[in-house]
Amino acid sequence: MHTPVTIIGAGLGGLTLARVLHIHGIPVTVYESESSPSARAQGGLLDIHDYNGQLALKAAGLMDEFHAIVLEGRQALRVLDRDGTVLLDQADDGTGGRPEVQRGDLRQVLLDSLPAGTVRWGHKVSRTRALGEGRHEVTFADGGTVVTSLLVGADGAWSRVRPLLSTATPEYIGKSVVETYLFDAGTRHPAAAKAVGGGMMIAPSPGREIFAHREKDDTLHAYLGLSGPQEWFAAIDFADAASATARIAEEFDGWAPELTALITDSDVAPVLRPLYALPPGHRWERVPGVTLLGDAAHLSAPNGEGANLAMLDGAELGEALAAHPDDVETALTEYEQAMFPRSAETATDEMPGIDSVDNTAHGLIDLAAEKGR
């Protein structure tokens, strides 16, 4: 295949696609808005599943590099009631199918697997437009442009490529999370460290919940989920860290102190993350010369599958293009026909919503037992 591929977005999905194309000798350029690989923190732990994310890494020929960055022991799971009672405590026996890695480390593995110059940093897309006959023009914030006959939007929730295919836009799901970090947890925050354990800790409750991971370097990374309209969160001054911390902590009044310490003892200012999703089952009619992957295609409420799906999208799209080197449209059709139902099925969350009366520690354990997990 000689048609160069233009990818917008150097996230995990876009980089997986670039790597698979590179393996098959297909020319590719990735344009990324960030100024460099280290321009911002790349998020926390990801569990990479053996039924999607690991399949993508196998297609990319990177399983050895992946195993080298796995954090041992992080598949451990604890479920706590809001009073701190431990209702489930599963150790990581090393046989699970979802080993944990740091997102930034995984991204670096993908970047290191590409030839120098594949990713063009500091290219923020301002708009895209169709030129006809499957060709598209991408305009960047600095005024530069690129014209391509094969454009892939891997540019996340607020994709600039999506409007070429769909009028859908992400909508707020009625829930936000507040992120906190506790460093050197074992020595500086022992009660919280004990509550979280060696891997992931979940403390669910109707209307509010706490998730936390033990990341590398003995860091606790917590996500405090709260149900509420965006206006409620907007009334909190997150620029005033102490005030915002106190206000969020009020919502967990009466919870065990080792759990609320994940809020009150944070070593960084709390960060608000409103959650959005595209309409369930989002899809589009085939448009020549352009497609989407990952959150640009099927953004959903967090369910542990987003990064895995984006990588599998990238791998399958790359393999489809390699399998049909003289027929791009057949490749894109084949890719989309597999991607649409897969993403729709995954977006159907088995877990109770945050406002459900079943969103409790006991409810979560009962659901897991019902599913045979």
Side-chain angles (χ1 to χ4, degrees), residues 112-148:
D112 291 343
S113 74
L114 298 171
T118 300
V119 180
R120 309 287 176 84
W121 302 96
H123 283 73
K124 181 178 176 61
V125 175
S126 58
R127 72 185 182 103
T128 57
R129 68 185 182 107
L131 301 177
E133 299 181 345
R135 297 166 68 247
H136 293 87
E137 179 185 72
V138 180
T139 300
F140 301 102
D142 64 2
T145 62
V146 62
V147 174
T148 179

Side-chain angles (χ1 to χ4, degrees), residues 97-114:
R98 51 176 187 85
E100 302 270 2
V101 299
Q102 296 281 160
R103 179 188 288 268
D105 292 346
L106 183 55
R107 189 196 198 200
Q108 194 61 51
V109 163
L110 289 162
L111 287 170
D112 291 343
S113 74
L114 298 171

